[in-house]
Amino acid sequence: MNAFSFPRFFVTLALIGGCQNNLDWTPLDGGSADLAGLEKARKTCRIEIKLSGLERARQERDKKLGASSTNQSKMLAKDDYEQIKRQVYREIDSCMQEQGYKR
């Protein structure tokens, strides 16, 4: 079973890594994105740090799912992760909007 989880783990990391660098942000005014301004906004909003924290939360969820013996505890672990995920993306979107960008 561990052999199966490693490929899934690396695929997930690749997807998240891709999302970190390729979130499509556009200026709120609809103009073309200034790469320097966009990078400054991403750093100000600490997007990479927040997505890294989300990845750690996902790993923790996976550990909890593996250790869970009941469906209820598995559902709680999944719900906790989804709540964290929604919060992280809400923070990112809110901050980027303050910086003048939207997804």
Side-chain angles (χ1 to χ4, degrees):
M1 187 163 171
N2 282 339
F4 178 75
S5 64
F6 281 115
R8 189 176 82 189
F9 173 74
F10 289 116
V11 168
T12 302
L13 281 179
L15 290 173
I16 289 175
C19 291
Q20 287 179 351
N21 296 324
N22 295 323
L23 286 176
D24 293 328
W25 297 102
T26 58
L28 291 175
D29 64 6
S32 61
D34 170 34
L35 293 179
L38 181 59
E39 186 59 31
K40 181 181 176 199
R42 290 173 55 87
K43 286 182 181 179
T44 299
C45 294
R46 303 177 333 146
I47 290 176
E48 285 77 15
I49 293 169
K50 290 178 181 179
L51 291 176
S52 175
L54 183 60
E55 173 60 18
R56 284 191 303 276
R58 188 199 58 78
Q59 290 172 352
E60 186 64 30
R61 179 210 58 194
D62 290 347
K63 286 180 190 176
K64 288 179 182 178
L65 289 175
S68 297
S69 59
T70 65
N71 284 337
Q72 183 179 9
S73 59
K74 288 180 182 183
M75 290 306 294
L76 286 173
K78 289 178 183 179
D79 289 345
D80 289 345
Y81 171 74
E82 286 302 318
Q83 185 177 12
I84 291 168
K85 182 178 170 183
R86 282 190 301 272
Q87 179 64 32
V88 166
Y89 281 108
R90 191 176 13 230
E91 288 175 10
I92 290 171
D93 289 342
S94 175
C95 182
M96 288 299 283
Q97 188 169 13
E98 289 173 6
Q99 301 299 313
Y101 293 92
K102 64 180 178 179
R103 243 186 313 162

XYZ file of all heavy atoms in Angstrom:
820
model
N 0.811 -1.193 0.000
C 0.000 0.000 0.000
C 0.858 1.262 0.000
O 0.524 2.236 -0.630
C -0.936 -0.020 1.183
C -1.934 1.097 1.169
S -3.264 0.703 2.296
C -4.088 2.243 2.278
N 2.008 1.226 0.685
C 2.887 2.381 0.692
C 3.438 2.680 -0.695
O 3.632 3.829 -1.043
C 4.047 2.164 1.658
C 3.611 2.377 3.090
O 2.612 3.034 3.332
N 4.350 1.841 4.032
N 3.693 1.655 -1.481
C 4.204 1.870 -2.826
C 3.194 2.632 -3.673
O 3.550 3.427 -4.523
C 4.540 0.540 -3.480
N 1.924 2.408 -3.425
C 0.884 3.116 -4.173
C 0.769 4.573 -3.740
O 0.530 5.450 -4.549
C -0.463 2.418 -3.990
C -1.589 3.127 -4.685
C -1.716 3.052 -6.056
C -2.490 3.884 -3.965
C -2.742 3.713 -6.696
C -3.522 4.549 -4.600
C -3.644 4.460 -5.963
N 0.987 4.858 -2.470
C 0.797 6.223 -1.983
C 1.909 7.168 -2.445
O 1.664 8.352 -2.611
C 0.687 6.239 -0.459
O 1.881 5.806 0.121
N 3.131 6.659 -2.675
C 4.206 7.525 -3.120
C 3.944 8.134 -4.493
O 4.088 9.344 -4.653
C 5.553 6.794 -3.106
C 6.145 6.690 -1.736
C 6.314 5.465 -1.140
C 6.518 7.819 -1.038
C 6.844 5.362 0.129
C 7.050 7.738 0.234
C 7.214 6.497 0.828
N 3.538 7.359 -5.494
C 3.239 7.999 -6.785
C 2.107 9.016 -6.669
O 2.170 10.088 -7.269
C 2.833 6.835 -7.688
C 3.479 5.643 -7.089
C 3.495 5.909 -5.606
N 1.089 8.705 -5.902
C -0.021 9.641 -5.716
C 0.470 10.917 -5.049
O 0.078 12.018 -5.415
C -1.123 8.989 -4.890
C -2.388 9.831 -4.853
C -3.483 9.132 -4.129
N -3.249 9.369 -2.704
C -3.896 8.785 -1.738
N -4.803 7.892 -2.006
N -3.641 9.074 -0.484
N 1.364 10.778 -4.093
C 1.923 11.920 -3.391
C 2.673 12.834 -4.354
O 2.495 14.047 -4.354
C 2.853 11.425 -2.269
C 3.609 12.521 -1.593
C 2.981 13.375 -0.712
C 4.948 12.697 -1.830
C 3.672 14.389 -0.078
C 5.652 13.709 -1.218
C 5.008 14.548 -0.335
N 3.510 12.252 -5.217
C 4.288 13.063 -6.147
C 3.412 13.706 -7.216
O 3.665 14.838 -7.630
C 5.408 12.236 -6.779
C 6.505 11.922 -5.796
C 6.759 10.622 -5.425
C 7.250 12.932 -5.220
C 7.754 10.330 -4.514
C 8.248 12.654 -4.297
C 8.495 11.350 -3.945
N 2.380 13.021 -7.642
C 1.446 13.622 -8.595
C 0.744 14.806 -7.953
O 0.597 15.866 -8.560
C 0.430 12.573 -9.108
C -0.703 13.232 -9.864
C 1.121 11.550 -9.984
N 0.346 14.643 -6.703
C -0.317 15.732 -5.991
C 0.614 16.925 -5.843
O 0.213 18.068 -6.063
C -0.799 15.259 -4.606
O -1.674 14.148 -4.792
C -1.512 16.363 -3.864
N 1.867 16.664 -5.484
C 2.827 17.758 -5.361
C 3.023 18.474 -6.688
O 3.103 19.703 -6.738
C 4.174 17.228 -4.859
C 4.291 16.958 -3.379
C 5.678 16.419 -3.049
C 3.999 18.189 -2.563
N 3.099 17.715 -7.769
C 3.264 18.324 -9.089
C 2.066 19.195 -9.438
O 2.217 20.294 -9.971
C 3.460 17.240 -10.141
N 0.873 18.701 -9.129
C -0.325 19.485 -9.425
C -0.367 20.755 -8.592
O -0.701 21.830 -9.091
C -1.582 18.652 -9.179
C -1.833 17.523 -10.171
C -3.004 16.670 -9.709
C -2.073 18.070 -11.554
N -0.032 20.634 -7.327
C -0.033 21.816 -6.461
C 1.056 22.782 -6.892
O 0.849 23.986 -6.935
C 0.108 21.417 -4.983
C -1.189 20.770 -4.532
C 0.433 22.631 -4.116
C -1.150 20.235 -3.137
N 2.210 22.244 -7.228
C 3.287 23.104 -7.721
C 2.869 23.844 -8.971
O 3.155 25.031 -9.144
N 2.164 23.158 -9.827
C 1.661 23.799 -11.038
C 0.648 24.864 -10.715
O 0.616 25.926 -11.338
N -0.195 24.603 -9.743
C -1.202 25.588 -9.353
C -0.554 26.817 -8.744
O -1.004 27.923 -8.947
C -2.183 24.989 -8.349
S -3.254 23.737 -9.053
N 0.522 26.613 -7.997
C 1.180 27.740 -7.366
C 1.699 28.713 -8.407
O 1.599 29.917 -8.243
C 2.353 27.267 -6.508
C 1.946 26.588 -5.250
C 3.143 26.130 -4.455
O 4.268 26.170 -4.928
N 2.898 25.684 -3.249
N 2.265 28.208 -9.466
C 2.883 29.061 -10.455
C 1.932 29.477 -11.564
O 2.208 30.413 -12.275
C 4.101 28.363 -11.061
C 5.163 28.126 -10.019
O 5.339 28.944 -9.137
N 5.854 27.020 -10.100
N 0.834 28.792 -11.735
C -0.028 29.043 -12.882
C -1.436 29.466 -12.517
O -2.332 29.294 -13.324
C -0.084 27.792 -13.768
C 1.259 27.483 -14.367
O 1.992 28.397 -14.725
N 1.589 26.227 -14.462
N -1.652 29.980 -11.309
C -2.965 30.523 -11.024
C -3.154 31.703 -11.964
O -2.308 32.577 -12.058
C -3.067 30.986 -9.565
C -3.185 29.902 -8.516
C -3.179 30.514 -7.122
C -4.416 29.064 -8.703
N -4.235 31.695 -12.690
C -4.470 32.744 -13.674
C -5.073 33.957 -12.999
O -6.265 33.983 -12.681
C -5.393 32.229 -14.782
C -4.739 31.160 -15.624
O -3.508 31.222 -15.801
O -5.447 30.270 -16.099
N -4.258 34.950 -12.779
C -4.703 36.194 -12.166
C -4.807 37.252 -13.244
O -3.932 37.377 -14.092
C -3.716 36.642 -11.091
C -3.604 35.692 -9.961
C -2.610 34.796 -9.734
C -4.528 35.531 -8.882
N -2.862 34.086 -8.593
C -4.028 34.527 -8.046
C -5.726 36.148 -8.550
C -4.694 34.110 -6.892
C -6.386 35.736 -7.408
C -5.861 34.731 -6.589
N -5.852 38.017 -13.195
C -6.027 39.132 -14.113
C -6.316 40.374 -13.289
O -6.919 40.295 -12.211
C -7.187 38.890 -15.102
O -8.385 38.663 -14.361
C -6.916 37.693 -15.984
N -5.919 41.522 -13.797
C -6.224 42.762 -13.080
C -7.729 42.980 -12.996
O -8.480 42.581 -13.888
C -5.563 43.842 -13.935
C -4.505 43.127 -14.707
C -5.046 41.754 -14.950
N -8.168 43.594 -11.931
C -9.591 43.861 -11.736
C -10.157 44.745 -12.846
O -11.329 44.636 -13.183
C -9.834 44.519 -10.375
C -9.592 43.633 -9.154
C -9.750 44.446 -7.875
C -10.536 42.443 -9.151
N -9.310 45.598 -13.432
C -9.790 46.491 -14.488
C -9.867 45.799 -15.849
O -10.271 46.398 -16.830
C -8.938 47.748 -14.570
C -7.487 47.467 -14.962
O -7.145 46.302 -15.297
O -6.682 48.421 -14.937
N -9.436 44.527 -15.910
C -9.529 43.764 -17.152
C -8.357 43.961 -18.090
O -8.321 43.365 -19.160
N -7.399 44.768 -17.725
C -6.229 45.003 -18.563
C -5.280 43.815 -18.533
O -5.558 42.779 -17.937
N -4.153 43.983 -19.183
C -3.166 42.907 -19.181
C -2.362 42.957 -17.883
O -2.110 44.024 -17.320
C -2.232 43.030 -20.389
O -1.529 44.250 -20.337
N -1.967 41.792 -17.427
C -1.256 41.689 -16.146
C 0.201 42.101 -16.305
O 0.887 41.649 -17.214
C -1.340 40.270 -15.613
N 0.650 42.966 -15.431
C 2.048 43.356 -15.349
C 2.749 42.291 -14.517
O 2.405 42.090 -13.346
C 2.150 44.733 -14.688
C 3.573 45.114 -14.334
O 4.501 44.742 -15.080
O 3.750 45.793 -13.303
N 3.711 41.584 -15.103
C 4.351 40.464 -14.405
C 5.036 40.892 -13.116
O 4.969 40.179 -12.113
C 5.334 39.760 -15.332
C 4.705 39.029 -16.521
C 5.785 38.393 -17.384
C 3.719 37.992 -16.043
N 5.677 42.036 -13.123
C 6.348 42.507 -11.905
C 5.320 42.833 -10.827
O 5.503 42.492 -9.653
C 7.205 43.726 -12.216
N 4.232 43.484 -11.211
C 3.177 43.807 -10.252
C 2.498 42.563 -9.716
O 2.169 42.478 -8.533
N 2.285 41.600 -10.602
C 1.660 40.347 -10.195
C 2.551 39.590 -9.216
O 2.075 39.083 -8.199
C 1.356 39.489 -11.419
C 0.690 38.151 -11.162
C -0.635 38.313 -10.446
C 0.484 37.423 -12.492
N 3.839 39.543 -9.503
C 4.768 38.845 -8.598
C 4.818 39.548 -7.244
O 4.854 38.891 -6.205
C 6.162 38.781 -9.220
C 7.142 37.960 -8.423
C 6.718 36.512 -8.228
O 6.032 35.949 -9.097
O 7.079 35.935 -7.179
N 4.796 40.863 -7.246
C 4.792 41.618 -5.983
C 3.522 41.297 -5.187
O 3.577 41.086 -3.972
C 4.876 43.111 -6.259
C 4.895 43.942 -5.003
C 4.955 45.414 -5.304
C 4.881 46.191 -3.985
N 4.488 47.571 -4.195
N 2.381 41.243 -5.870
C 1.121 40.928 -5.205
C 1.151 39.513 -4.639
O 0.689 39.267 -3.523
C -0.047 41.089 -6.179
N 1.700 38.561 -5.401
C 1.796 37.171 -4.932
C 2.664 37.078 -3.681
O 2.339 36.341 -2.752
C 2.352 36.268 -6.036
C 1.383 36.060 -7.195
C 2.025 35.298 -8.340
N 2.584 34.030 -7.940
C 1.895 32.888 -7.895
N 0.634 32.873 -8.231
N 2.486 31.769 -7.512
N 3.757 37.831 -3.656
C 4.626 37.822 -2.476
C 3.948 38.504 -1.297
O 4.045 38.034 -0.168
C 5.961 38.488 -2.795
C 6.859 37.632 -3.643
C 8.191 38.301 -3.896
C 9.053 37.406 -4.784
N 10.346 38.022 -5.080
N 3.268 39.598 -1.557
C 2.557 40.311 -0.497
C 1.505 39.409 0.138
O 1.338 39.394 1.361
C 1.893 41.586 -1.056
O 2.912 42.444 -1.578
C 1.095 42.311 0.018
N 0.819 38.644 -0.701
C -0.248 37.757 -0.214
C 0.295 36.409 0.274
O -0.482 35.601 0.786
C -1.284 37.545 -1.321
S -2.169 39.060 -1.742
N 1.577 36.188 0.107
C 2.247 34.962 0.569
C 1.542 33.701 0.040
O 1.290 32.755 0.771
C 2.317 34.949 2.088
C 3.017 36.158 2.646
C 3.061 36.261 4.146
N 1.982 35.600 4.816
C 2.098 34.993 5.995
N 3.237 34.982 6.613
N 1.058 34.405 6.554
N 1.244 33.716 -1.252
C 0.498 32.611 -1.864
C 1.244 31.292 -1.731
O 0.655 30.276 -1.348
C 0.173 32.930 -3.340
C -0.876 34.035 -3.395
C -0.318 31.688 -4.077
C -1.214 34.504 -4.779
N 2.527 31.276 -2.043
C 3.284 30.021 -1.983
C 3.311 29.447 -0.577
O 3.179 28.241 -0.386
C 4.713 30.218 -2.514
C 4.801 30.325 -4.020
C 4.376 31.678 -4.577
O 4.281 32.654 -3.784
O 4.108 31.759 -5.778
N 3.458 30.316 0.422
C 3.483 29.867 1.817
C 2.134 29.275 2.210
O 2.057 28.224 2.855
C 3.871 31.034 2.745
C 5.322 31.445 2.474
C 3.672 30.670 4.209
C 5.734 32.749 3.125
N 1.055 29.945 1.796
C -0.284 29.465 2.140
C -0.590 28.135 1.454
O -1.165 27.233 2.074
C -1.332 30.512 1.789
C -1.259 31.714 2.707
C -2.248 32.778 2.341
C -2.072 33.949 3.309
N -2.977 35.029 3.011
N -0.191 27.992 0.196
C -0.427 26.732 -0.497
C 0.451 25.612 0.062
O 0.033 24.455 0.104
C -0.210 26.894 -2.003
C -1.257 27.758 -2.709
C -0.895 27.927 -4.176
C -2.650 27.190 -2.543
N 1.631 25.958 0.530
C 2.487 24.973 1.183
C 1.846 24.491 2.483
O 1.863 23.300 2.808
C 3.862 25.585 1.456
O 4.676 24.708 2.173
N 1.269 25.415 3.229
C 0.547 25.048 4.452
C -0.658 24.180 4.149
O -0.965 23.236 4.890
N -1.320 24.461 3.041
C -2.460 23.645 2.625
C -2.001 22.230 2.285
O -2.678 21.255 2.616
C -3.166 24.283 1.430
C -4.407 23.577 0.925
C -5.469 23.494 2.017
C -4.950 24.303 -0.296
N -0.851 22.100 1.673
C -0.312 20.779 1.362
C -0.007 20.011 2.646
O -0.274 18.822 2.749
C 0.944 20.901 0.503
C 1.668 19.604 0.255
C 0.839 18.549 -0.471
O -0.177 18.897 -1.097
O 1.196 17.366 -0.390
N 0.536 20.698 3.639
C 0.791 20.042 4.929
C -0.517 19.593 5.575
O -0.598 18.514 6.159
C 1.562 20.969 5.867
C 3.033 21.086 5.513
C 3.830 21.797 6.589
N 3.335 23.126 6.899
C 3.639 24.240 6.229
N 4.449 24.178 5.195
N 3.145 25.403 6.612
N -1.562 20.410 5.458
C -2.874 20.041 6.003
C -3.427 18.814 5.282
O -4.045 17.947 5.898
C -3.845 21.209 5.887
N -3.190 18.730 3.982
C -3.642 17.568 3.218
C -2.912 16.311 3.666
O -3.500 15.250 3.828
C -3.442 17.771 1.716
C -4.098 16.649 0.882
C -3.539 16.579 -0.515
N -2.109 16.358 -0.562
C -1.524 15.175 -0.367
N -2.231 14.111 -0.089
N -0.215 15.055 -0.448
N -1.625 16.444 3.892
C -0.846 15.300 4.377
C -1.339 14.858 5.754
O -1.447 13.661 6.030
C 0.637 15.656 4.425
C 1.256 15.818 3.063
C 2.669 16.369 3.136
O 3.154 16.772 4.193
N 3.334 16.398 1.995
N -1.639 15.803 6.610
C -2.168 15.486 7.939
C -3.522 14.791 7.820
O -3.804 13.829 8.528
C -2.294 16.767 8.772
C -2.686 16.533 10.198
C -1.653 15.758 10.987
O -0.449 15.858 10.693
O -2.061 15.025 11.923
N -4.350 15.275 6.902
C -5.645 14.625 6.662
C -5.441 13.178 6.225
O -6.116 12.272 6.701
C -6.424 15.373 5.582
C -7.772 14.704 5.279
C -8.238 14.896 3.878
N -7.287 14.394 2.913
C -7.332 14.676 1.632
N -8.255 15.468 1.161
N -6.436 14.188 0.811
N -4.485 12.967 5.332
C -4.218 11.608 4.857
C -3.763 10.691 5.992
O -4.148 9.530 6.057
C -3.187 11.615 3.735
C -3.734 12.217 2.442
O -4.967 12.410 2.336
O -2.918 12.515 1.544
N -2.956 11.224 6.905
C -2.531 10.442 8.068
C -3.728 10.080 8.940
O -3.854 8.955 9.404
C -1.511 11.219 8.903
C -0.150 11.305 8.291
C 0.768 12.106 9.206
C 2.072 12.433 8.548
N 2.925 13.285 9.402
N -4.589 11.066 9.162
C -5.778 10.827 9.978
C -6.693 9.798 9.320
O -7.269 8.953 10.008
C -6.546 12.124 10.218
C -5.869 13.072 11.172
C -6.686 14.339 11.338
C -5.991 15.326 12.250
N -6.771 16.581 12.367
N -6.826 9.878 8.009
C -7.672 8.910 7.307
C -7.116 7.498 7.449
O -7.864 6.544 7.628
C -7.797 9.278 5.821
C -8.637 10.512 5.510
C -8.576 10.823 4.015
C -10.069 10.330 5.958
N -5.802 7.371 7.389
C -5.178 6.064 7.535
C -5.328 5.498 8.940
O -5.425 4.295 9.123
N -5.351 6.395 9.922
C -5.449 5.955 11.309
C -6.895 5.822 11.787
O -7.141 5.264 12.855
C -4.709 6.940 12.213
N -7.832 6.310 11.004
C -9.237 6.287 11.416
C -9.815 4.892 11.307
O -9.583 4.183 10.333
C -10.068 7.229 10.548
O -9.641 8.548 10.717
N -10.589 4.547 12.313
C -11.206 3.225 12.304
C -12.706 3.291 12.024
O -13.324 2.260 11.787
C -10.965 2.527 13.646
O -11.517 3.298 14.694
N -13.269 4.495 12.040
C -14.706 4.613 11.791
C -14.962 5.590 10.650
O -14.136 6.475 10.367
C -15.453 5.133 13.038
O -15.024 6.474 13.307
C -15.205 4.240 14.242
N -16.096 5.431 10.019
C -16.475 6.348 8.953
C -16.664 7.762 9.482
O -16.371 8.730 8.788
C -17.750 5.873 8.263
C -17.506 4.711 7.341
O -16.379 4.503 6.873
N -18.548 3.943 7.069
N -17.162 7.870 10.698
C -17.385 9.195 11.281
C -16.064 9.958 11.442
O -15.985 11.131 11.103
C -18.083 9.077 12.625
C -18.404 10.423 13.244
C -19.130 10.297 14.574
O -19.249 9.202 15.114
N -19.597 11.406 15.091
N -15.035 9.285 11.937
C -13.749 9.966 12.116
C -13.129 10.306 10.762
O -12.474 11.345 10.619
C -12.797 9.123 12.963
O -12.566 7.874 12.367
N -13.348 9.475 9.760
C -12.850 9.783 8.418
C -13.562 11.009 7.851
O -12.929 11.887 7.252
C -13.041 8.591 7.482
C -12.098 7.448 7.782
C -12.310 6.281 6.841
C -11.365 5.154 7.225
N -11.461 4.016 6.322
N -14.865 11.080 8.033
C -15.618 12.223 7.536
C -15.217 13.508 8.252
O -15.124 14.564 7.635
C -17.127 11.977 7.683
C -17.674 10.922 6.744
S -17.303 11.234 5.000
C -18.244 12.710 4.724
N -14.936 13.417 9.557
C -14.480 14.594 10.293
C -13.135 15.082 9.764
O -12.934 16.294 9.612
C -14.380 14.283 11.781
C -15.700 14.179 12.540
C -15.463 13.701 13.969
C -16.421 15.515 12.535
N -12.231 14.158 9.485
C -10.922 14.533 8.937
C -11.083 15.200 7.577
O -10.443 16.220 7.282
C -10.021 13.306 8.823
N -11.952 14.643 6.737
C -12.195 15.237 5.418
C -12.836 16.614 5.542
O -12.449 17.553 4.832
C -13.099 14.321 4.586
C -12.404 13.063 4.128
C -13.366 12.177 3.350
C -12.697 10.881 2.938
N -13.628 10.004 2.196
N -13.812 16.739 6.442
C -14.476 18.024 6.634
C -13.521 19.088 7.159
O -13.560 20.243 6.719
C -15.664 17.881 7.588
C -16.825 17.118 6.981
O -16.853 16.933 5.739
O -17.716 16.690 7.749
N -12.661 18.701 8.100
C -11.673 19.643 8.635
C -10.763 20.160 7.522
O -10.495 21.360 7.426
C -10.826 18.994 9.726
C -11.598 18.762 11.010
O -12.691 19.344 11.182
O -11.103 17.976 11.849
N -10.302 19.251 6.677
C -9.418 19.646 5.581
C -10.148 20.574 4.608
O -9.599 21.585 4.175
C -8.877 18.422 4.845
C -8.133 18.804 3.590
C -6.862 19.364 3.660
C -8.701 18.634 2.333
C -6.183 19.747 2.520
C -8.031 19.005 1.188
C -6.776 19.557 1.285
O -6.111 19.934 0.152
N -11.371 20.249 4.259
C -12.124 21.080 3.313
C -12.348 22.476 3.875
O -12.307 23.460 3.138
C -13.454 20.418 2.948
C -13.299 19.234 2.023
C -12.611 19.569 0.713
O -12.911 20.625 0.109
O -11.750 18.778 0.286
N -12.563 22.566 5.178
C -12.732 23.873 5.809
C -11.432 24.679 5.724
O -11.452 25.874 5.417
C -13.166 23.707 7.259
C -13.473 25.007 7.954
C -13.967 24.776 9.379
O -13.890 23.697 9.921
N -14.471 25.837 9.972
N -10.320 24.033 5.992
C -9.016 24.695 5.887
C -8.775 25.141 4.451
O -8.332 26.270 4.202
C -7.888 23.760 6.380
C -7.998 23.548 7.884
C -6.515 24.316 6.009
C -7.124 22.432 8.420
N -9.066 24.270 3.517
C -8.861 24.573 2.094
C -9.680 25.799 1.669
O -9.161 26.705 1.010
C -9.253 23.356 1.267
C -9.039 23.503 -0.213
C -9.423 22.200 -0.904
C -9.469 22.341 -2.397
N -9.898 21.092 -3.043
N -10.960 25.820 2.054
C -11.798 26.965 1.717
C -11.244 28.252 2.321
O -11.225 29.305 1.676
C -13.234 26.740 2.185
C -14.032 25.817 1.298
C -15.512 25.815 1.658
N -15.774 25.411 3.031
C -15.949 24.164 3.433
N -15.899 23.172 2.563
N -16.186 23.896 4.702
N -10.788 28.172 3.565
C -10.242 29.350 4.243
C -8.986 29.859 3.547
O -8.830 31.062 3.340
C -9.948 29.036 5.718
C -9.357 30.185 6.489
C -10.293 31.373 6.601
O -11.498 31.210 6.642
N -9.737 32.567 6.642
N -8.095 28.961 3.170
C -6.852 29.365 2.511
C -7.158 30.066 1.191
O -6.625 31.151 0.912
C -5.923 28.149 2.286
C -4.790 28.484 1.316
C -5.357 27.670 3.609
N -8.019 29.480 0.377
C -8.344 30.107 -0.904
C -9.121 31.408 -0.728
O -8.946 32.352 -1.510
C -9.079 29.127 -1.825
C -8.114 28.175 -2.478
C -8.067 26.846 -2.093
C -7.237 28.609 -3.457
C -7.166 25.973 -2.676
C -6.331 27.749 -4.046
C -6.305 26.427 -3.659
O -5.407 25.571 -4.239
N -9.929 31.492 0.311
C -10.638 32.737 0.601
C -9.636 33.836 0.966
O -9.745 34.971 0.500
C -11.639 32.497 1.734
C -12.603 33.612 1.969
C -13.632 33.291 3.044
N -13.293 32.113 3.833
C -14.122 31.109 4.076
N -15.338 31.132 3.628
N -13.733 30.078 4.802
N -8.636 33.497 1.779
C -7.603 34.464 2.159
C -6.806 34.911 0.945
O -6.519 36.103 0.782
C -6.660 33.854 3.195
C -7.254 33.691 4.562
C -6.325 32.966 5.518
O -5.136 32.741 5.173
O -6.789 32.604 6.615
N -6.426 33.953 0.100
C -5.656 34.286 -1.097
C -6.466 35.204 -2.013
O -5.970 36.240 -2.464
C -5.214 33.013 -1.839
C -4.142 32.271 -1.034
C -4.691 33.346 -3.236
C -3.802 30.888 -1.576
N -7.697 34.824 -2.292
C -8.540 35.619 -3.189
C -8.775 37.020 -2.640
O -8.719 38.006 -3.384
C -9.873 34.917 -3.447
C -9.723 33.677 -4.316
O -8.689 33.533 -4.999
O -10.653 32.850 -4.300
N -9.028 37.113 -1.344
C -9.277 38.410 -0.717
C -8.039 39.306 -0.810
O -8.138 40.482 -1.174
C -9.681 38.201 0.741
O -9.818 39.428 1.392
N -6.895 38.767 -0.479
C -5.657 39.543 -0.522
C -5.334 39.971 -1.947
O -4.989 41.127 -2.190
C -4.507 38.732 0.067
S -2.942 39.647 0.090
N -5.458 39.055 -2.890
C -5.148 39.398 -4.280
C -6.128 40.444 -4.807
O -5.744 41.306 -5.593
C -5.145 38.150 -5.154
C -3.947 37.246 -4.918
S -2.359 38.019 -5.275
C -2.346 37.936 -7.064
N -7.367 40.400 -4.362
C -8.324 41.416 -4.776
C -7.910 42.775 -4.228
O -8.006 43.790 -4.921
C -9.727 41.062 -4.319
C -10.765 41.991 -4.902
C -12.179 41.499 -4.671
O -12.412 40.593 -3.890
N -13.116 42.111 -5.344
N -7.415 42.804 -2.992
C -6.915 44.055 -2.420
C -5.722 44.573 -3.216
O -5.497 45.787 -3.282
C -6.516 43.841 -0.960
C -7.682 43.628 -0.029
C -7.246 43.264 1.373
O -6.023 43.281 1.667
O -8.119 42.948 2.193
N -4.959 43.662 -3.820
C -3.805 44.034 -4.621
C -4.195 44.391 -6.060
O -3.347 44.781 -6.854
C -2.773 42.904 -4.634
C -2.248 42.513 -3.269
C -1.553 43.652 -2.589
O -0.728 44.334 -3.188
N -1.874 43.877 -1.323
N -5.476 44.185 -6.398
C -5.949 44.569 -7.715
C -6.048 43.441 -8.717
O -6.083 43.682 -9.928
N -6.120 42.190 -8.228
C -6.180 41.034 -9.124
C -7.343 40.110 -8.757
O -7.791 40.088 -7.614
C -4.869 40.228 -9.055
C -3.689 40.969 -9.611
C -2.883 41.733 -8.779
C -3.402 40.919 -10.960
C -1.805 42.426 -9.286
C -2.326 41.612 -11.479
C -1.526 42.362 -10.636
O -0.457 43.055 -11.147
N -7.813 39.386 -9.747
C -8.830 38.374 -9.532
C -8.455 37.137 -10.330
O -7.675 37.197 -11.267
C -10.207 38.874 -9.962
C -10.308 39.157 -11.448
C -11.672 39.636 -11.815
C -11.698 39.965 -13.318
N -13.001 40.408 -13.755
N -9.028 36.002 -9.899
C -8.763 34.738 -10.590
C -9.774 34.539 -11.682
O -10.892 34.917 -11.647
C -8.879 33.571 -9.627
C -7.594 32.877 -9.483
C -7.579 31.653 -8.681
N -8.267 31.738 -7.407
C -8.652 30.677 -6.735
N -8.432 29.500 -7.200
N -9.249 30.780 -5.591
